């Protein structure tokens, strides 16, 4: 398997009141095509900063991030914007969507903005509906974003993240704002997407979410302290055991 993401000696520093604040310190890891990686760690450990830095949403201070063979620190802001639009998908805890558009229009918006996506408008709409059908929300295609549940809205965000056929999805606490039932449903959809070949890197504090990932990276004070390779999640009968393994490992890490 080829590496879709290679991170080497990544550092991120903020200057606050003339004082240097080192958020990420010499972070190194790789993600192979088709993996689903969980980033875990205590509050303030640098999880979200890491996600934003490796996806080009935030500038890095030092080190290198290579995405699909391209060093993102060498790209211009315009090139980075195109890379994020055309080759990456994003899902956040807060479900950002435009209030003046329907659910379907929000989903296909990135496809309509992309210069690399050569499909016709009809093809983009049809693909948006295909994604919605796959995630069980086609019936709310014409609804406003205020007329759907939190779980439906987050599944719509997953559809939007997939509309341009990304190489990787970056997810920041994608189930954090949902109740347990909706969280389980959304996580199951992400697992299915991963099964179909899409690489996923997600920040989470939820052990049940992490148990469905193939690998967990544990970050403390801006450093990857350790990683645990769980292997591919294949059947529900193994979930409780995977949760137990992750729980014990996190306790060892000082969770």
């Amino acid at each position: 398997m080829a590496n879709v993401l290679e991170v080497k000696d990544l550092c991120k520093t903020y200057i606050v009141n003339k004082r240097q604040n080192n958020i990420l310190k010499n972070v190194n890891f790789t993600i192979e095509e088709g993996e689903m990686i969980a980033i875990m760690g205590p509050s303030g450990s640098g999880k979200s900063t890491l996600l934003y830095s490796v996806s080009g949403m935030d500038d890095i201070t030092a080190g290198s991030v290579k995405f699909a063979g391209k060093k993102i620190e060498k790209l211009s802001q315009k090139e980075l914007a195109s890379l994020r639009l055309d080759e990456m998908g994003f899902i956040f805890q807060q479900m950002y969507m435009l209030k003046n558009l329907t659910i379907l229009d929000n989903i296909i918006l990135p496809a309509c903005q992309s210069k690399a996506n050569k499909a016709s408008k009809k093809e983009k709409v049809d693909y948006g509906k295909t994604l919605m059908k796959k995630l069980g929300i086609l019936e709310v295609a014409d609804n406003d974003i205020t007329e759907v549940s939190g779980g439906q809205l987050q599944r719509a965000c997953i559809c939007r993240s997939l509309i341009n056929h990304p190489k990787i999805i970056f997810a920041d606490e994608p189930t954090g704002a949902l109740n347990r039932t909706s969280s389980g449903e959304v996580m199951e959809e992400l697992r299915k997407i991963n099964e179909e070949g899409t690489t996923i890197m997600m920040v989470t504090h939820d052990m049940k979410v992490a148990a469905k990932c193939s690998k967990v990276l544990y970050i403390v004070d801006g450093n990857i302290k350790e990683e645990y390779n769980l292997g591919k999640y294949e059947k529900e009968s193994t979930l409780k055991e995977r949760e137990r393994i992750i729980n014990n490992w996190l306790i060892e890490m000082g969770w």
Side-chain angles (χ1 to χ4, degrees):
M1 282 281 191
N3 290 332
V4 68
L5 192 67
E6 298 176 17
V7 179
K8 187 173 182 181
D9 298 329
L10 171 63
C11 297
K12 177 63 183 178
T13 301
Y14 291 106
I15 305 297
V16 181
N17 296 327
K18 298 182 180 179
R19 296 182 65 178
Q20 186 169 293
N21 192 3
N22 300 313
I23 307 298
L24 300 174
K25 309 164 193 172
N26 299 314
V27 174
N28 293 273
F29 66 93
T30 60
I31 298 179
E32 291 184 358
E33 289 178 359
E35 282 194 301
M36 184 154 73
I37 307 296
I39 309 296
M40 303 189 79
S43 228
S45 58
K47 300 186 297 295
S48 293
T49 300
L50 177 61
L51 192 81
Y52 299 149
S53 296
V54 301
S55 62
M57 293 178 66
D58 203 355
D59 293 334
I60 66 174
T61 304
S64 174
V65 178
K66 188 183 286 187
F67 171 75
K70 303 169 187 173
K71 287 191 175 183
I72 68 170
E73 70 273 12
K74 303 291 186 183
L75 301 179
S76 67
Q77 288 302 312
K78 186 176 180 180
E79 289 170 328
L80 272 174
S82 294
L83 187 72
R84 288 194 298 266
L85 178 63
D86 299 327
E87 299 187 50
M88 300 175 179
F90 294 89
I91 309 167
F92 302 100
Q93 180 174 349
Q94 297 303 318
M95 295 159 261
Y96 302 107
M97 284 199 166
L98 297 179
K99 293 179 180 178
N100 61 323
L101 297 180
T102 65
I103 297 294
L104 178 58
D105 286 341
N106 266 287
I107 287 169
I108 67 169
L109 182 61
C112 296
Q113 293 174 323
S114 172
K115 293 179 180 177
N117 191 330
K118 302 301 183 183
S120 67
K121 176 67 179 294
K122 183 182 183 304
E123 288 170 333
K124 291 170 183 176
V125 169
D126 287 346
Y127 185 53
K129 288 181 177 178
T130 297
L131 290 171
M132 293 187 78
K133 184 176 181 181
K134 187 183 290 187
L135 271 78
I137 55 169
L138 184 57
E139 73 278 4
V140 300
D142 296 325
N143 288 34
D144 293 335
I145 65 171
T146 57
E147 298 174 331
V148 297
S149 69
Q152 288 173 320
L153 194 60
Q154 192 62 300
R155 277 179 275 179
C157 289
I158 295 173
C159 293
R160 181 179 60 186
S161 75
L162 291 166
I163 196 70
N164 282 331
H165 308 279
K167 289 184 172 69
I168 190 170
I169 288 177
F170 293 102
D172 192 4
E173 297 282 9
T175 63
L178 304 175
N179 61 35
R180 177 56 66 187
T181 300
S182 294
S183 172
E185 291 171 353
V186 165
M187 191 57 207
E188 184 59 20
E189 296 302 340
L190 287 173
R191 188 193 66 78
K192 289 176 185 175
I193 290 161
N194 177 247
E195 277 290 314
E196 292 168 2
T198 303
T199 308
I200 299 175
M201 174 181 173
M202 73 170 76
V203 168
T204 185
H205 67 277
D206 191 328
M207 227 173 297
K208 290 183 180 295
V209 169
K212 292 186 177 180
C213 294
S214 51
K215 188 188 295 180
V216 183
L217 305 182
Y218 191 78
I219 185 170
V220 180
D221 296 330
N223 286 297
I224 302 290
K225 184 176 180 180
E226 199 169 318
E227 67 177 55
Y228 196 99
N229 194 337
L230 273 168
K232 202 83 170 174
Y233 171 68
E234 294 178 340
K235 49 187 177 180
E236 193 174 347
S237 60
T238 65
L239 185 57
K240 288 293 182 185
E241 177 63 13
R242 290 168 71 93
E243 286 178 25
R244 187 191 65 76
I245 290 169
I246 286 295
N247 180 60
N248 291 344
W249 179 69
L250 288 172
I251 290 171
E252 288 177 17
M253 293 296 101
W255 177 260

